[in-house]
Every structure is written in structure tokens, then in C-alpha cells.
């Protein structure tokens, strides 16, 4: 089902006209109200009147995460604080968080795109939706929550953590939809297994998973372990939160960007040149409807490509492919570029391994060294013979050594660089409660 059929299937010519109208309005808004943008436009000799066609967006300056930091906390807001009814912030690993604000209208638009996304991912009015995205400054919990309420679902606002209790609630409340990060879905699957609860005891049909990068191989694993269809939802707080784009359950291939609200471009992250459809690069988004915190050509840092092909689901909004990674998560190991997601694909595609892993980066002299710690699958571990075994004993087993060498070889062949693999016993890598920490940088 579609939440907003008229918008979601709008013919391209109409959609483009709507986008242009909205782009002109938002450009006016930031020019009049945000000194940062006024200055950037002036430097380029630009005024809002220069925006006559949709492609004229390319005349506009980019906005970067560092611009948000430099105007911390409210310096880029286009509304006075007394018109802002909500603040969110993204944690940010270093320094101050990036802060965003919403007017009452913005909250409504956000609920709209989240309602669309949920329906696009298989939810229907009347469903019980188990929402295990974190509630708080993080946009995941409240974003999905408002969308679920708007579309007429019953929301279970459980947030992250207390996984055993979550499993009990999933069973007792018979949720049909699970919303959380893919790594947390895996955690839930493990805990269910420990508790001796089979997916058949649950009513789950769809998982709406995002907020971190994950691979097709991870999708297959989660689907099999939870007995559901797993779909990808994308968003970022700087743009709105979850609900920027969503995969449809019909095609299950690429995420529809809600283009009446968000104008996408793909650029070469080095040259900032706009790339044609199909080419991989950094996703850039311009807000078309935000009031309190519109962004112009925001550089998301996320690497993907756009697919304008018509979709079997009937939606006309363009699709973006699964995010390959963030440009700042890209590892450069001895000069070779590697995304953690590429390592994940190989690990998760190996049946003797479990999908729990961590990548540790170190300096070895002047060079970078990458080590991957990955758990062996409990069934493989059990087949080694002993009930419990420490890491060293385990690694001394010939079967373990053969497996380790095989995985190292496969990584080297696929990625073109040596990655050291350390197999560890099941349940030894910290479990995710929200966004998983996949890379530990000790350099
Ligand atoms: O993670 C918003 C969100 C919440 C999206 C719940 C989906 C579900 P931030 O904390 O600002 O917002 O982090 C945004 O997370 O730039 C991507 O790098 C990454 N990300 C989000 N969704 C996906 C996804 C939320 N589906 C950053 N695949 C983004 C890959 C994702 N990466």
C-alpha cells in the first residue's frame, strides 16, 4: 500500500515543476534569513532570482558538516528559537554534536515521509510496530514514532537495549514490523535463540532497518534468522532524520528518495563535479520543504548512485542504491581504498563465521595495518568438540587455522590488500544496542 499515492506516483514533469517551485522558495528563505547562506551567495554574485531551472541548483554553494559545527548550536537556523518546537543532535564522535531544529510544520512533514517510508516497507494501518531505534537526541526513535502514529499503527516505543525484554514484548504484543538498526536486529536474533524462542512464535513480517551501513549478505542473514523481509531505510539528522529514502518491498532494490521534499545529486567527492545517473559518488541533498533548518546542497558523505529506472512498485520517485559507506569511513590500507561494508560482505558470506565482527586499525611503522576480529559461528564452534574453549585453544585447531587462511585469502583476492583475520569464540565481540561500532581506530 502507498501512504500518499498522489505524491508517490506523481508524473515526473509535475514532480520537477513542484521541485523547482519549492527550490526557489527555500533559496529565498535561506537568503533572507541565514547570514551564512547570504554571504555564500554574495561571494558568488548569486541571488535567488538566478534559480530558473532545477539544474540551477548547481550554481549554489555546498554545505558541509563543518559548517554546522562552526555555527553551533543554532547559527544556521532559518527561524527564531520560539518557532522551533524540537531539537535533535547527532552524537558525533569528536567534539560538539551537530544540532538541528524543527518547526511544527517540519515535524508534520517528517511524520509524512516516515509514514510513507513505513508503508513502502510493508507496514499497514493497524499494524503493531516495535520501534527499537533509540529515543532521544538521535532522530531514529522519534522520527519513526511520529510516522507510525500518523499512518495509524500501534507503536511500541521500546527504544534500544534490554534485549531479553524486547524479545518478550515482540512475542507478547505480536508486532508485525520491527524497526531498528540491522546490527541490533542481529542482536535480537541471538538473544531469541538463547531464550529458545523460534521466529515462528513471533508475528514479524517486515524489518525496517537503517542508520548504519549494511550489506546484501547481512540482509540475507537477518531475513533467514528472523523469518522476515528486511528493507533498507535511509536518512540523516542534518536533512531530517529517518525517512529521506526507503526501499519498497515490491522491488527490494534501491531506496526511493522522497523527491517532493529532498532534491538529490551525486558528486565526485574530490572535484565536486555533478555526476550522471548511475555513477557512484557522494550523495548531496537540498531541502525543499524544511522551515527551521533547510540545507542547501548538503554533502552527506555517503557513497551511492542514483537509479532513474521505473520501479515495479509504481512510485515515480528516483531510487538510490544501498549506501556503500561514508567517505570518511573509507579505510586506506597501504594505499588501497576499502569500505568496511566490503569486508562485511565476505565475512557474512562465510557460513562458518557469525556476522559479528570488528575492524581494528593500527600503525605498523609508517604503514597502516588492518585486523579483523570475527566470531566463528556457534555451530562451527560446537563441531570443534569441546563445550567451552578459550581463544588460544580454539585457534590451535587445524580446522580453525584452515578457515582463517581461507578467509584471509578471500579478502586479499577481493580487496587487493592483506587484512589479518583473527577468529574468536562466539559471543566475545560487544553487541550493538544501536549503531554498531565496526571500526576501532588505534592509529
Ligand atoms: O541515522 C537517521 C536514521 C535513523 C536513518 C533511523 C535510518 C533509520 P544520523 O544519526 O544523523 O541519522 O546518521 C546519519 O547514518 O549519513 C549515513 O552515513 C548513515 N546511515 C543512515 N541510514 C543508513 C542506511 C540517522 N540505510 C548517517 N544505510 C548517514 C547506510 C546509513 N548508512
Amino acid at each position: 500500500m502507498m501512504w500518499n499515492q498522489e505524491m508517490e506516483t506523481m508524473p515526473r514533469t509535475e514532480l520537477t515543476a513542484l521541485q523547482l517551485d519549492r527550490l526557489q522558495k527555500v533559496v529565498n528563505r535561506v537568503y533572507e534569513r541565514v547570514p551564512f547562506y547570504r554571504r555564500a551567495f554574495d561571494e558568488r554574485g548569486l541571488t535567488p532570482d538566478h534559480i530558473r531551472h532545477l539544474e540551477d541548483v548547481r550554481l549554489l554553494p555546498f554545505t558541509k558538516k563543518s559548517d554546522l559545527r562552526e555555527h553551533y548550536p543554532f547559527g544556521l537556523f532559518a527561524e527564531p528559537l520560539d518557532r522551533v518546537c524540537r531539537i535533535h543532535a547527532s552524537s558525533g564522535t569528536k567534539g560538539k554534536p551537530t544540532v538541528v531544529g524543527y518547526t511544527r510544520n517540519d515535524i508534520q512533514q517528517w511524520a509524512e515521509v516516515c509514514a510513507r517510508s513505513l508503508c513502502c516497507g510493508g507496514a499497514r494501518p493497524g499494524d503493531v510496530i516495535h520501534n527499537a531505534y533509540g529515543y532521544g537526541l538521535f532522530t531514529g526513535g522519534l522520527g519513526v514514532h511520529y510516522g507510525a502514529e500518523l499512518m495509524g499503527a500501534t507503536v511500541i516505543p521500546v527504544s534500544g537495549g534490554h534485549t531479553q525484554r524486547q524479545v518478550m514484548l515482540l512475542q507478547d504484543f505480536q508486532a508485525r514490523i520491527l524497526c531498528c538498526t540491522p546490527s541490533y536486529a542481529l542482536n535480537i536474533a541471538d538473544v531469541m535463540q538463547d531464550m529458545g524462542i523460534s521466529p515462528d512464535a513471533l508475528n514479524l513480517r517486515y524489518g525496517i532497518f537503517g542508520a548504519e551501513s549494511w550489506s546484501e549478505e547481512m540482509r540475507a542473514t537477518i531475513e533467514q534468522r528472523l523469518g522476515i523481509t528486511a528493507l533498507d531505510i535511509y536518512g540523516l539528522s542534518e536533512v531530517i532524520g529517518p525517512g529521506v529514502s526507503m526501499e519498497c518491498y515490491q522491488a527490494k532494490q534501491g531506496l526511493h528518495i522522497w523527491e517532493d521534499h529532498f532534491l538529490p545529486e551525486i558528486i565526485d567527492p574530490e572535484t565536486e563535479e555533478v555526476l550522471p545517473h548511475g555513477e557512484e559518488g557522494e550523495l548531496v541533498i537540498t531541502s525543499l520543504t524544511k522551515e527551521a533548518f533547510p540545507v542547501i546542497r548538503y554533502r552527506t558523505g555517503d557513497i551511492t548512485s542514483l537509479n532513474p529506472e521505473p520501479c515495479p512498485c509504481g512510485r515515480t520517485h528516483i531510487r538510490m542504491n544501498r549506501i556503500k559507506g561514508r567517505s570518511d569511513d573509507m579505510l586506506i590500507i597501504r594505499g588501497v581504498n576499502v569500505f568496511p561494508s566490503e569486508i562485511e560482505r565476505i565475512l557474512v558470506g562465510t557460513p562458518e563465521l557469525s556476522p559479528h565482527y570488528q575492524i581494528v586499525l593500527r600503525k605498523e611503522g609508517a604503514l597502516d595495518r588492518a585486523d579483523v576480529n570475527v566470531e566463528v559461528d556457534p555451530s562451527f564452534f560446537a563441531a570443534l568438540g569441546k563445550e567451552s574453549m578459550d581463544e588460544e585453544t580454539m585457534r590451535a585447531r587445524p580446522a580453525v587455522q584452515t578457515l582463517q587462511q581461507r578467509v584471509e585469502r578471500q579478502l586479499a583476492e577481493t580487496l587487493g590488500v592483506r587484512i589479518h583475520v583473527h577468529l574468536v569464540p562466539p559471543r566475545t565481540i560487544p553487541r550493538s544496542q544501536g549503531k554498531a561500532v565496526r571500526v576501532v581506530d588505534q592509529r
Side-chain angles (χ1 to χ4, degrees):
M1 119 171 216
M2 287 188 206
W3 171 248
N4 187 339
Q5 178 132 5
E6 190 190 338
M7 269 304 173
E8 294 174 53
T9 61
M10 184 176 263
R12 288 300 309 180
T13 44
E14 269 175 63
L15 189 52
T16 307
L18 180 68
Q19 287 182 307
L20 176 59
D21 180 56
R22 291 182 168 178
L23 178 65
Q24 288 168 331
K25 291 201 172 98
V26 81
V27 166
N28 257 300
R29 165 173 282 271
V30 299
Y31 187 72
E32 296 300 334
R33 294 165 177 247
V34 186
F36 164 79
Y37 284 115
R38 165 72 72 124
R39 256 196 322 276
F41 283 35
D42 286 348
E43 276 167 20
R44 286 171 169 69
L46 269 181
T47 66
D49 295 339
H50 287 96
I51 307 299
R52 297 198 193 96
H53 310 280
L54 205 51
E55 295 70 45
D56 293 338
V57 69
R58 298 180 185 185
L59 302 171
L60 299 171
F62 291 102
T63 310
K64 299 203 191 76
K65 203 181 190 86
S66 56
D67 297 320
L68 271 64
R69 292 233 171 81
E70 279 160 27
H71 295 84
Y72 176 87
F74 308 136
L76 296 185
F77 284 16
E79 291 285 348
L81 218 49
D82 61 5
R83 288 212 62 234
V84 171
C85 70
R86 176 103 63 84
I87 296 288
H88 278 285
S90 83
S91 49
T93 40
K94 25 186 187 292
K96 301 275 195 192
T98 46
V99 180
V100 298
Y102 305 76
T103 63
R104 219 162 280 284
N105 263 336
D106 292 334
I107 295 288
Q108 273 172 18
Q109 302 289 15
W110 187 16
E112 156 75 23
V113 291
C114 281
R116 267 189 220 179
S117 301
L118 290 168
C119 293
C120 188
R124 305 175 301 214
D127 275 350
V128 175
I129 297 187
H130 184 100
N131 185 15
Y133 284 117
Y135 281 64
L137 283 174
F138 174 56
T139 51
L142 285 166
V144 166
H145 183 104
Y146 274 59
E149 282 190 353
L150 178 65
M151 58 150 289
T154 305
V155 200
I156 315 299
V158 61
S159 198
H162 304 287
T163 311
Q164 290 206 354
R165 194 175 58 150
Q166 299 224 12
V167 171
M168 178 187 82
L169 299 180
L170 279 166
Q171 194 174 18
D172 294 349
F173 298 170
Q174 290 285 294
R176 187 170 169 272
I177 310 286
L178 171 62
C179 299
C180 61
T181 59
S183 58
Y184 192 62
L186 215 53
N187 188 348
I188 291 179
D190 278 354
V191 171
M192 260 172 67
Q193 196 173 4
D194 289 350
M195 292 167 74
I197 294 173
S198 111
D200 299 339
L202 270 46
N203 186 36
L204 281 183
R205 282 282 292 120
Y206 292 99
I208 297 184
F209 302 137
E212 63 187 9
S213 61
W214 53 312
S215 56
E216 276 306 317
E217 285 74 6
M218 185 69 99
R219 160 152 48 204
T221 300
I222 296 173
E223 290 189 328
Q224 189 254 325
R225 295 202 51 198
L226 288 175
I228 58 173
T229 295
L231 298 164
D232 197 2
I233 182 168
Y234 170 82
L236 63 168
S237 49
E238 296 91 318
V239 170
I240 204 160
V244 171
S245 64
M246 176 73 209
E247 205 169 36
C248 58
Y249 63 88
Q250 293 94 335
K252 221 177 153 184
Q253 197 168 64
L255 298 79
H256 291 280
I257 302 178
W258 306 123
E259 285 182 277
D260 49 329
H261 296 282
F262 315 108
L263 180 64
E265 299 170 85
I266 299 286
I267 64 163
D268 178 323
E270 302 293 323
T271 63
E272 298 192 331
E273 176 200 357
V274 177
L275 300 176
H277 289 337
E279 276 189 36
E280 195 167 84
E282 180 176 344
L283 177 67
V284 168
I285 293 180
T286 299
S287 319
L288 294 177
T289 49
K290 283 279 274 316
E291 290 180 343
F293 191 79
V295 284
I296 303 296
R297 303 192 88 195
Y298 185 70
R299 291 191 55 167
T300 64
D302 295 317
I303 305 298
T304 180
S305 53
L306 297 177
N307 171 12
E309 293 295 308
C311 184
C313 75
R315 291 178 179 85
T316 49
H317 295 231
I318 201 164
R319 282 177 285 170
M320 57 181 243
N321 288 310
R322 179 186 283 289
I323 301 278
K324 189 166 174 192
R326 294 187 51 79
S327 43
D328 42 14
D329 277 352
M330 192 180 70
L331 313 171
I332 305 180
I333 306 163
R334 308 201 166 194
V336 179
N337 299 348
V338 178
F339 281 104
S341 65
E342 296 175 290
I343 298 179
E344 176 181 299
R345 295 187 56 178
I346 291 167
L347 302 180
V348 179
T350 307
E352 295 91 338
L353 300 180
S354 91
H356 300 283
Y357 68 94
Q358 208 156 44
I359 302 166
V360 182
L361 301 176
R362 293 201 193 86
K363 270 268 174 253
E364 205 173 48
L367 297 174
D368 291 333
R369 172 188 161 121
D371 289 71
V372 178
N373 299 320
V374 56
E375 290 180 11
V376 299
D377 190 76
S379 62
F380 177 80
F381 191 66
L384 294 174
K386 282 193 192 156
E387 270 290 286
S388 70
M389 197 183 321
D390 63 18
E391 204 168 315
E392 236 164 275
T393 321
M394 184 190 94
R395 283 207 199 124
R397 295 301 173 99
V400 175
Q401 289 172 0
T402 313
L403 175 62
Q404 183 241 342
Q405 284 157 10
R406 199 178 87 213
V407 178
E408 277 194 355
R409 202 163 50 236
Q410 214 179 339
L411 284 166
E413 278 166 12
T414 316
L415 305 174
V417 68
R418 167 113 202 251
I419 312 245
H420 303 261
V421 173
H422 305 274
L423 302 180
V424 299
R427 310 299 156 94
T428 45
I429 288 180
R431 290 297 183 261
S432 151
Q433 305 295 322
K435 296 196 193 224
V437 182
R438 300 290 197 203
V439 180
V440 182
D441 196 339
Q442 299 181 341
R443 289 174 298 181

